[in-house]
Amino acid sequence: MKRKLLVTSVATGLATLVSMHAFAQSATDATQDETKKKELRLDTVTVTGSLIPRSQVETASPIITITSQELETHGYRNVYDALKTMPVATGSVQDSQIANLGSFTPGATTVSLFGLDPGFTLILLNGHPLADYPLPYNGNQNITDLSNIPVEMVDHIDILTGAQSSIYGSSAIAGVVNIILKKKMDGMDLSFRGGGHGDGGGGNERLQITGGKSWGNLSLAYSVSLENQDPILVRQSFWKDRTANPLGTVAGRDFLQVEPFSAQYFDPGAAACAPTSGLFGGTVQYTQRPNSGFYCGSNYDFGNSTLLNESKVANGYLNVTYRLNDNAEVYAEVLGSVTKQKLNGGPAFWSYFNQDLVQSANTFSGVFWDNTRQDFESIQRYFAPEEMGSADANDDKIYTRQYDVNVGVRGDFSSGWSYDLYYNRSQINTRDSEPWPLTAPLNNYYLGAQQGVDPYGYGFPAYTPNLANFYKPITPAQFAQFTDAIQSTSVSWEQDLHLTVTNTELFHLPAGSVGLAGIAEVGNQAFNNPVDPRLLAGDFNNRTGTQGAGSRNRYAIGGEMTIPVFSTLTADVSARYDSYDFAGRTDGKATYKMGLEYRPVDTLLLRANYATAFRAPDMLYVFQGNSGFFTTGNDYYLCRQQGFTQDNLSTCPQANESLFSFYHGSKDLKDITAKSYGYGVVWSPSAKFDIKLDYTHIGISNEVETQTPDQLLQTEANCRLGTSFGGQAFDINSALCQNALSQVSRYPTDFNFPQAAGQLQYVTTFPVNIADEHLDGVQANATYRMDWGRFGNMALSGQYYIELNHEQRLDPGDPFIDLLHNYNSYELKSKTSASASWAIDKWTATVFGTLYGKTINFAGTATNGRWAQFNTSLQYDFSEKASILLTVNNVFNRQPPLDFESTGPSSALPPPYYNPLVYNGLGRLYWLEYKFHF
């Protein structure tokens, strides 16, 4: 058996050793070594991270590979599951679990490497980019959606970490995820999978047909799959074990009347709540919130919100190759999918809303004068499933159509030159239909006609609330009259023409052949995300929308060289220039990378790399139009003025109050730039064992960020008071403070409405280039394979990543923010995964576990502890053509860490009280799959 060939590199500290070894080597020895290398050389392949085909799998940058077998046996439901489980994926991301927290992209999934922005990871399909998801992630960002990639056709997934823009262009700052689909198959495979959720719901079925065949010069591979996924609801999760007021959790404010300026509740009395007691499964009761007052509420009002979306997916894939002659072939790849998803973000909600003030950013658009109480008032209520007619009557329905087409020709010229010329187009269309309460009919039903204005002359509308209607369930027919569907249709596409030319033996040096590759590409991209005009008119109660549209052109040229400096040392150098034309301007960015691969012996590799990278400003950051949204936030300034501390902030009357925020894009944004370097070692003493250890540093400048309203309110309070909760000093004249003060609008102290003086009016957020961010981390990987003869074979593997440091600051001179201990980050300090697989006779058993390290809690006051989850699979082969596979995820049904702070009176986390941005809280899942090969 040929020994495994490894790629090696050397850090700067090894330069002396390398030089001494090289000068001691004679020219004759070099020639002999080159002859031996040619005898051992494997067939060249194209690897992720290099344009030049090579015989080695490893490069100067660490690569993690997920095989198709691991996708089957490790319990991954899809590509997203596989990537999110990787130890280097330590960042928080939004998926269907945050439906009840609110999300602009509840039907999409993405990944965050090293805790960095998801947009800093470039996701490729067969080496080419995918169109951005057309809806705004987090309200203002572009992401690549992983939801519609057919996992059954994935051959493997490469994760290349560190800056890679010199090869792939924009976005490859944290790294590159390259999803490689199968291109050649023989015969046909039929499989059917069915399963469910251990605590109810979550039933799923999948039918897939894959196959391929060759006829002379023609070969094809294909796949068709149909998948159905039933939803998993909050009440079907372990939340049912946490509903007896865990750690003091208060009931939802399902029927509430409140004095808006003191935030004190008007006591409705137990008799008023009595007619509502049959709602939410008979759980509404007369209850109290500490320091605020009495109201009618239930601990179970969010029980029907979804943790996992209901979905129906149809995927189709076709790969065709036709050999024209011995030196050229044409090929085409087509991937298409149609998806229908349904999700529930919780019960429908109504509160008084002055439709005429929708464009005025008036914080008090929800305030009216109560003629009965002779006081100012705000009023709100939730609608229970019994009123809506069914638990899913207010489901958000998302329809997605996506395709990716790649057509090209590749072959060889004379003198060792090869080429690959292709055209690629990717497009995503979405249609969203979400039922939502209407402003006017509900205002009229609960408040009646306006009866003048408040007696103080401030201009607040006066009403005599109809409390008999308010504290009475409505009928499903009434609910249908009081709601309508918000409709939105969006599209995003990207296309490019790409040429690569390569020569693995351009010319020869004493140590070996020099390889060269060059690329040229031209393309454009566009998106259109219109808003339902009824949202802007205020027709929908307490709801606004996002909008935007734009396009840009781009071109790029680049090249790469591999240079054998000595027989044991290879240098890899690449450079690329990208240019973008958009918004009446042209931006160009040059990037480069240098890597060293040093092999003192065949079994040991030492590697080092240094690279620059960039990300062109997100299309949404640039072209998003004026948008507004309602949110909640803590008025830290007023709370701290009243003496509230970090420990009791949740009891402040101005905590978690309703807030209006404006947002718009900016055409003045600069490119985000980055530098990364790393070094590591790979040791493989045998074909059965290898271990890798790599250090990575990434520094980012001009990063684009939109501060959250809550972040701005924290900074504003720190600046006005001169210090943070923790005692850190803030200079009100600093750029950080001046920016925050200009974005937080308060009513002036001499405002003609005394109760409003000094209170929040609105917050304005927009994208800006901030100063810098940097991180340091270490990743380790190991595999070990054992042959036990008649007792079978054992395979062990493990991966580990630890973040040593991760800091960010908004402006030069400002203090760094430790993101590992900042509640707006939530990233994991460390993450570990390990698997053990035992194959004997016709049986194969696999155990896969993931250990999540500590992370900050939702309030930023403490840390959540470590958490482990285990998956298992058991496969039995009836024959070479038939097998059955049983998979169980989260075997012990372990619950993610309960976020203690999130259960406080100002909870930002509704049930089931864990942080869904970090953890997989779906509970135990299982499925049985039968496969047959024809």
Side-chain angles (χ1 to χ4, degrees):
M1 179 184 296
K2 292 183 180 180
R3 288 187 296 176
K4 180 180 179 182
L5 294 181
L6 301 173
V7 180
T8 60
S9 66
V10 61
T12 304
L14 296 170
T16 302
L17 175 62
V18 175
S19 300
M20 292 174 60
H21 176 81
F23 283 119
Q25 185 182 39
S26 66
T28 301
D29 291 338
T31 302
Q32 293 174 348
D33 288 344
E34 174 63 15
T35 301
K36 293 178 181 178
K37 287 173 64 178
K38 289 182 177 179
E39 292 173 352
L40 291 171
R41 184 170 297 156
L42 300 175
D43 291 338
T44 59
V45 295
T46 300
V47 299
T48 300
S50 178
L51 301 171
I52 304 172
R54 55 179 64 199
S55 58
Q56 302 93 346
V57 177
E58 295 287 345
T59 67
S61 299
I63 297 180
I64 303 165
T65 297
I66 306 172
T67 66
S68 58
Q69 181 181 10
E70 290 170 337
L71 288 170
E72 287 188 351
T73 61
H74 285 189
Y76 304 132
R77 293 182 301 117
N78 45 45
V79 170
Y80 167 64
D81 261 8
L83 291 173
K84 189 178 180 182
T85 305
M86 291 296 101
V88 292
T90 56
S92 61
V93 292
Q94 301 175 11
D95 58 21
S96 64
Q97 294 180 92
I98 72 162
N100 57 7
L101 284 177
S103 172
F104 292 88
T105 53
T109 55
T110 190
V111 66
S112 165
L113 299 184
F114 302 134
L116 293 172
D117 187 300
F120 292 169
T121 298
L122 179 63
I123 297 176
L124 305 174
L125 183 69
N126 290 334
H128 53 75
L130 293 165
D132 292 331
Y133 191 66
L135 299 179
Y137 179 82
N138 209 27
N140 51 33
Q141 297 173 256
N142 291 119
I143 60 167
T144 301
D145 180 25
L146 296 167
S147 301
N148 298 309
I149 297 173
V151 66
E152 69 278 3
M153 278 306 296
V154 174
D155 181 79
H156 66 278
I157 303 173
D158 286 335
I159 305 172
L160 178 67
T161 56
Q164 308 296 332
S165 287
S166 64
I167 298 293
Y168 296 110
S170 176
S171 303
I173 291 177
V176 172
V177 173
N178 193 8
I179 303 165
I180 309 297
L181 301 184
K182 298 173 183 176
K183 294 180 175 60
K184 292 187 180 297
M185 300 183 68
D186 185 19
M188 184 176 71
D189 292 295
L190 172 68
S191 69
F192 177 78
R193 187 177 83 177
H197 180 234
D199 293 323
N204 62 88
E205 303 85 29
R206 186 182 72 187
L207 174 67
Q208 61 185 36
I209 300 173
T210 61
K213 190 173 178 60
S214 296
W215 299 272
N217 293 332
L218 176 67
S219 64
L220 64 84
Y222 60 87
S223 169
V224 177
S225 68
L226 301 173
E227 183 172 357
N228 176 71
Q229 174 68 62
D230 293 336
I232 296 177
L233 307 180
V234 167
R235 63 178 171 81
Q236 294 169 328
S237 72
F238 51 76
W239 176 62
K240 61 179 178 288
D241 299 324
R242 295 181 174 179
T243 54
N245 273 342
L247 301 174
T249 301
V250 297
R253 296 174 291 181
D254 298 310
F255 297 83
L256 179 68
Q257 293 176 268
V258 59
E259 203 288 325
F261 309 113
S262 66
Q264 293 300 303
Y265 302 165
F266 294 127
D267 189 346
C273 293
T276 71
S277 62
L279 299 178
F280 294 110
T283 62
V284 176
Q285 58 184 325
Y286 177 59
T287 187
Q288 181 184 20
R289 177 174 176 173
N291 301 311
S292 295
F294 290 88
Y295 61 101
C296 314
S298 167
N299 278 318
Y300 299 83
D301 48 6
F302 275 82
N304 287 314
S305 58
T306 46
L307 289 176
L308 182 65
N309 296 346
E310 176 183 335
S311 65
K312 298 182 186 301
V313 184
N315 277 313
Y317 172 71
L318 179 65
N319 180 284
V320 181
T321 302
Y322 183 77
R323 179 164 289 279
L324 300 172
N325 52 52
D326 290 341
N327 298 316
E329 65 180 17
V330 294
Y331 61 91
E333 300 169 336
V334 181
L335 171 66
S337 66
V338 178
T339 304
K340 177 183 177 181
Q341 297 188 67
K342 290 173 61 177
L343 62 118
N344 191 305
F349 171 80
W350 170 83
S351 68
Y352 167 70
F353 175 58
N354 189 332
Q355 190 171 359
D356 295 332
L357 296 178
V358 67
Q359 299 291 349
S360 67
N362 192 322
T363 299
F364 302 106
S365 59
V367 177
F368 65 93
W369 176 261
D370 187 332
N371 284 327
T372 302
R373 294 185 182 276
Q374 289 293 295
D375 203 346
F376 293 101
E377 184 174 334
S378 293
I379 190 169
Q380 70 177 49
R381 65 153 298 181
Y382 287 99
F383 296 98
E386 295 87 350
E387 299 175 287
M388 295 186 294
S390 64
D392 61 356
N394 66 323
D395 278 358
D396 184 3
K397 302 176 182 64
I398 303 173
Y399 306 87
T400 304
R401 290 181 290 111
Q402 180 175 351
Y403 69 83
D404 183 81
V405 177
N406 195 41
V407 180
V409 56
R410 58 192 168 213
D412 300 322
F413 294 120
S414 59
S415 305
W417 287 96
S418 300
Y419 66 91
D420 187 359
L421 174 66
Y422 67 80
Y423 166 78
N424 172 254
R425 181 179 173 94
S426 179
Q427 180 169 318
I428 305 176
N429 294 74
T430 63
R431 180 165 57 90
D432 194 344
S433 178
E434 180 180 11
W436 198 265
L438 295 166
T439 300
L442 282 166
N443 283 359
N444 184 65
Y445 182 73
Y446 289 124
L447 301 180
Q450 182 177 338
Q451 300 169 337
V453 296
D454 68 274
Y456 298 101
Y458 299 132
F460 287 95
Y463 296 95
T464 301
N466 188 334
L467 297 184
N469 281 349
F470 184 71
Y471 289 104
K472 179 181 70 175
I474 64 172
T475 67
Q478 287 176 303
F479 180 78
Q481 293 175 352
F482 293 155
T483 59
D484 200 355
I486 302 172
Q487 303 282 356
S488 63
T489 302
S490 303
V491 61
S492 176
W493 56 263
E494 178 169 350
Q495 62 183 355
D496 64 272
L497 184 65
H498 181 105
L499 172 65
T500 302
V501 293
T502 59
N503 191 325
T504 58
E505 298 183 347
L506 182 65
F507 58 88
H508 298 280
L509 295 175
S513 299
V514 173
L516 175 68
I519 65 158
E521 61 184 38
V522 59
N524 55 15
Q525 62 185 131
F527 83 102
N528 185 22
N529 178 27
V531 66
D532 190 322
R534 296 172 298 169
L535 281 172
L536 299 181
D539 291 353
F540 292 100
N541 185 251
N542 277 286
R543 180 70 180 266
T544 61
T546 61
Q547 59 180 324
S551 63
R552 65 185 178 192
N553 301 319
R554 64 180 180 86
Y555 70 85
I557 56 173
E560 179 185 10
M561 292 187 70
T562 55
I563 306 169
V565 182
F566 308 115
S567 62
T568 55
L569 176 65
T570 300
D572 186 281
V573 181
S574 57
R576 174 174 168 137
Y577 180 82
D578 288 84
S579 179
Y580 284 82
D581 294 331
F582 63 95
R585 53 185 274 208
T586 299
D587 279 354
K589 184 62 61 178
T591 54
Y592 63 90
K593 180 180 178 180
M594 298 178 291
L596 293 176
E597 306 166 4
Y598 175 60
R599 175 176 30 205
V601 294
D602 285 344
T603 59
L604 181 65
L605 305 93
L606 301 172
R607 58 188 175 194
N609 62 80
Y610 180 87
T612 62
F614 85 105
R615 177 170 173 79
D618 280 18
M619 298 276 280
L620 281 163
Y621 277 144
V622 175
F623 294 109
Q624 188 158 342
N626 288 325
S627 305
F629 59 93
F630 291 93
T631 184
T632 57
N634 299 316
D635 190 338
Y636 295 92
Y637 176 58
L638 291 185
C639 288
R640 290 174 62 183
Q641 273 195 323
Q642 298 172 60
F644 289 93
T645 66
Q646 194 167 13
D647 295 331
N648 63 3
L649 179 68
S650 60
T651 63
C652 172
Q654 285 78 33
N656 202 38
E657 64 180 357
S658 179
L659 180 66
F660 190 84
S661 180
F662 280 121
Y663 176 81
H664 59 80
S666 172
K667 297 181 180 180
D668 298 323
L669 294 173
K670 304 175 183 177
D671 291 331
I672 303 169
T673 59
K675 298 178 181 178
S676 80
Y677 61 83
Y679 45 85
V681 58
V682 180
W683 181 47
S684 183
S686 73
K688 297 181 179 181
F689 174 70
D690 62 74
I691 186 169
K692 310 173 190 178
L693 183 66
D694 288 277
Y695 165 84
T696 300
H697 170 89
I698 300 176
I700 305 171
S701 300
N702 294 323
E703 184 176 350
V704 177
E705 179 170 300
T706 301
Q707 290 178 296
T708 66
D710 198 69
Q711 282 179 306
L712 285 169
L713 292 173
Q714 284 189 71
T715 304
E716 182 230 11
N718 294 339
C719 295
R720 290 185 183 277
L721 300 173
T723 182
S724 68
F725 272 128
Q728 180 180 331
F730 280 76
D731 180 5
I732 196 170
N733 296 313
S734 67
L736 173 69
C737 287
Q738 290 301 305
N739 288 336
L741 295 177
S742 69
Q743 292 175 250
V744 177
S745 178
R746 293 181 179 273
Y747 289 99
T749 55
D750 59 351
F751 190 59
N752 65 346
F753 179 46
Q755 288 93 329
Q759 296 215 30
L760 287 172
Q761 183 179 13
Y762 59 88
V763 174
T764 300
T765 61
F766 49 85
V768 293
N769 289 101
I770 61 176
D772 55 334
E773 177 178 1
H774 60 257
L775 65 86
D776 303 88
V778 174
Q779 57 182 300
N781 302 270
T783 59
Y784 183 47
R785 294 162 291 278
M786 294 168 283
D787 184 355
W788 290 349
R790 65 188 182 92
F791 295 105
N793 300 305
M794 174 69 76
L796 304 175
S797 68
Q799 298 182 29
Y800 174 73
Y801 177 74
I802 183 169
E803 197 102 304
L804 304 176
N805 178 52
H806 192 180
E807 294 182 324
Q808 181 189 74
R809 61 181 177 184
L810 303 184
D811 291 285
D814 288 333
F816 276 99
I817 300 171
D818 181 2
L819 294 180
L820 290 175
H821 300 89
N822 184 277
Y823 82 101
N824 286 301
S825 175
Y826 308 122
E827 66 184 283
L828 295 162
K829 169 72 174 176
S830 65
K831 198 172 180 182
T832 308
S833 68
S835 71
S837 182
W838 180 33
I840 180 170
D841 195 19
K842 297 182 177 182
W843 295 90
T844 302
T846 303
V847 177
F848 176 75
T850 305
L851 176 63
Y852 295 76
K854 294 182 178 180
T855 185
I856 198 72
N857 71 357
F858 210 82
T861 57
T863 56
N864 294 316
R866 296 178 178 87
W867 178 63
Q869 178 176 298
F870 296 92
N871 302 339
T872 63
S873 67
L874 180 64
Q875 178 170 316
Y876 178 76
D877 298 324
F878 296 102
S879 65
E880 292 182 356
K881 294 187 175 182
S883 65
I884 191 168
L885 175 67
L886 173 65
T887 303
V888 182
N889 280 9
N890 197 352
V891 176
F892 303 109
N893 204 26
R894 289 177 57 88
Q895 305 169 3
L898 176 63
D899 197 325
F900 289 86
E901 182 61 29
S902 74
T903 61
S906 64
S907 172
L909 284 174
Y913 308 117
Y914 70 91
N915 191 337
L917 300 171
V918 176
Y919 303 107
N920 176 353
L922 299 180
R924 183 185 294 117
L925 300 170
Y926 59 87
W927 55 84
L928 189 67
E929 183 172 16
Y930 177 77
K931 295 182 287 186
F932 189 82
H933 178 74
F934 295 93

